[in-house]
Amino acid sequence: MGRLTPAATRSLLDGVAEADAAYRRDWPGRPTSRQPAQVLYVPAHRLPKDPVAALGGEARRLLASHAPDGVALASAVDLRPSLADRVHERVRHKLDREPIEDLRVDFEDGYVGHDEGEEGADAVRTGRLVGRMVAEDRCTPFVGLRVKSFTDGLAARSVATLDAFLEAMLDEAGRLPDGFVVTFPKIVAVPHVAAFVDVLAALERAHGLADGTLRFEAQVETTASVLGPDGRVALRDIRDAGAGRLRAVHFGVFDYTAALGVPAEQQRLDHPGCDFARHLMQVTFARTEVRLSDGTTNVAPADDSTPAVHATWRTHAAHVRHSLLHGFEQGWDLHPSHLVSRWATVFGHLLDGIDDVLARLDAWEAGRSGGAVMDEPATVAVLRRRVDRAVECGALDPA
């Protein structure tokens, strides 16, 4: 029967339930909705009238010209030969159906040298363009814009651009697109995040949007957004200041490595200094509503020759693979060529060993134990996530 009375046990455990409830409030679990595997940033002044057709079409051309079969693609992006034909077929299908999952119109680093009048005109033009894409049901599943930072003296211009873009987009579409998000870059102070949240709330009122519908993603690309002046990890404070509007945190490779003093030729996604920041991001936002995205590669083909294109694909693929192996399922792309190496690497990663994954899940569901791997519930959840990701992005058919 035991020697502790129920009353004694209750007294000993006083506060456990409250602590558990507090934990679940602070770490509510990761979202179950779809997360894009990539986001393509396009400078506002270069956004074509039909981005999906234009940029996806260029990616299809590059694939057909420089990797017409699985062998060529496998060689270019370091795929396992046994996966070559399967991945090539899936990449070709993806580029035909949905080459871009998340489109971000850029008014920041990719938009240097434009005056206030030009930016205002581009905000209206690109807002209308995105609005027409939404109205005509040909928009990417996720879409948005990156505004200027609040730390460069252009905060008012940043707000004006967002306001003008929203007005033009809503006039064309009549509604806010599903998956719409605003990217807030170069955070150096938590109060800047709080001010941006106030801006989003004011814009909702001004444009007749429901409270809380404007969400944003924060870019971690300054040392001050990782560690605060008191030595505390600032990332959690950024989430708190987001007041429920923070959807994701994206890592910015080049500003961050430059801030560390890393030489230009070593500023790359897989630099060890970046791994430190990414790991802090993972620990901070694990089991929360905030998703993570890695940065990008700044290489592009020097010309349209196969060696130049393959060199870009090889570098980009290595960086994408580094992100995936570290648990970052999403990343930036800056050039149509990156769509080929992105999808080839993502599909290769998801399909490598997928039959074993499915067999392990079948065994778990059937209650069988033993075999080469002794799975636990947490690992099974990761395996299920992998299968779901493969279906979401098109590596696997739902069947």
Side-chain angles (χ1 to χ4, degrees):
M1 294 290 294
R3 299 191 179 187
L4 288 177
T5 66
T9 299
R10 285 195 300 272
S11 176
L12 290 167
L13 298 181
D14 185 42
V16 169
E18 290 81 357
D20 185 61
Y23 165 77
R24 296 185 187 283
R25 285 194 302 271
D26 290 336
W27 285 272
R30 68 185 301 164
T32 57
S33 56
R34 179 183 180 184
Q35 179 181 5
Q38 58 84 232
V39 50
L40 183 66
Y41 278 67
V42 182
H45 62 294
R46 296 178 185 167
L47 188 70
K49 290 184 178 180
D50 192 337
V52 176
L55 302 173
E58 174 62 7
R60 289 192 296 272
R61 185 194 69 80
L62 289 167
L63 179 68
S65 299
H66 302 293
D69 54 40
V71 172
L73 185 61
S75 174
V77 301
D78 194 25
L79 278 176
R80 192 184 298 276
S82 60
L83 292 172
D85 290 339
R86 186 177 185 184
V87 169
H88 189 274
E89 187 274 331
R90 299 312 299 177
V91 170
R92 191 173 64 247
H93 178 71
K94 180 70 173 180
L95 295 179
D96 285 338
R97 183 181 61 89
E98 190 182 71
I100 304 167
E101 289 190 347
D102 193 351
L103 177 68
R104 196 72 71 251
V105 184
D106 187 26
F107 287 92
E108 205 234 352
D109 278 352
Y111 193 74
V112 175
H114 297 268
D115 62 30
E116 188 172 358
E118 291 172 318
E119 182 165 342
D122 279 332
V124 172
R125 180 185 63 83
T126 56
R128 286 174 178 166
L129 189 153
V130 171
R132 285 195 294 273
M133 292 170 61
V134 174
E136 296 170 6
D137 198 26
R138 53 183 178 84
C139 192
T140 51
F142 302 86
V143 69
L145 72 160
R146 178 167 70 170
V147 296
K148 283 181 168 55
S149 166
F150 276 15
T151 191
D152 54 9
L154 296 174
R157 182 164 159 183
S158 177
V159 174
T161 294
L162 178 54
D163 191 5
F165 184 98
L166 280 172
E167 181 177 41
M169 181 182 66
L170 292 170
D171 283 348
E172 290 285 341
R175 64 178 178 86
L176 196 69
D178 296 334
F180 181 80
V181 69
V182 184
T183 306
F184 189 56
K186 291 186 178 63
I187 297 168
V188 297
V190 173
H192 287 180
V193 178
F196 191 64
V197 166
D198 290 342
V199 167
L200 295 179
L203 287 170
E204 286 170 347
R205 294 190 295 271
H207 292 279
L209 299 171
D211 292 345
T213 53
L214 288 178
R215 303 294 185 91
F216 75 103
E217 57 195 20
Q219 285 198 288
V220 173
E221 50 186 337
T222 68
T223 54
S225 60
V226 177
L227 294 179
D230 56 358
R232 283 167 31 93
V233 176
L235 296 167
R236 190 77 182 193
D237 295 333
I238 289 174
R239 179 194 176 215
D240 292 343
R245 294 180 183 269
L246 182 63
R247 194 184 80 178
V249 170
H250 291 217
F251 184 62
V253 171
F254 300 103
D255 282 276
Y256 187 78
T257 51
L260 294 181
V262 175
E265 66 274 12
Q266 293 297 320
Q267 292 177 10
R268 63 186 194 277
L269 182 145
D270 57 356
H271 190 278
C274 297
D275 289 338
F276 168 77
R278 279 192 292 259
H279 293 161
L280 280 180
M281 290 165 60
Q282 285 176 301
V283 172
T284 300
F285 298 113
R287 290 194 55 80
T288 74
E289 73 289 349
V290 180
R291 287 170 158 160
L292 301 179
S293 175
D294 212 341
T296 189
T297 300
N298 65 347
V299 298
D303 53 53
D304 196 33
S305 66
T306 294
V309 174
H310 280 202
T312 294
W313 285 348
R314 189 167 294 109
T315 299
H316 184 236
H319 290 169
V320 172
R321 191 171 294 111
H322 185 89
S323 299
L324 293 170
L325 293 178
H326 281 73
F328 280 70
E329 299 175 337
Q330 182 180 359
W332 296 7
D333 296 321
L334 297 179
H335 190 272
S337 65
H338 294 172
L339 298 175
V340 176
S341 40
R342 166 74 59 185
W343 295 124
T345 308
V346 168
F347 290 174
H349 171 77
L350 291 171
L351 294 176
D352 192 9
I354 193 66
D355 292 336
D356 290 339
V357 169
L358 294 172
R360 288 165 67 180
L361 289 173
D362 284 344
W364 179 269
E365 293 294 341
R368 299 192 299 272
S369 61
V373 180
M374 302 294 288
D375 282 320
E376 296 186 0
T379 302
V380 169
V382 173
L383 295 176
R384 286 176 176 148
R385 170 69 178 168
R386 179 173 171 181
V387 175
D388 290 343
R389 291 288 290 168
V391 172
E392 283 176 350
C393 70
L396 283 178
D397 288 324

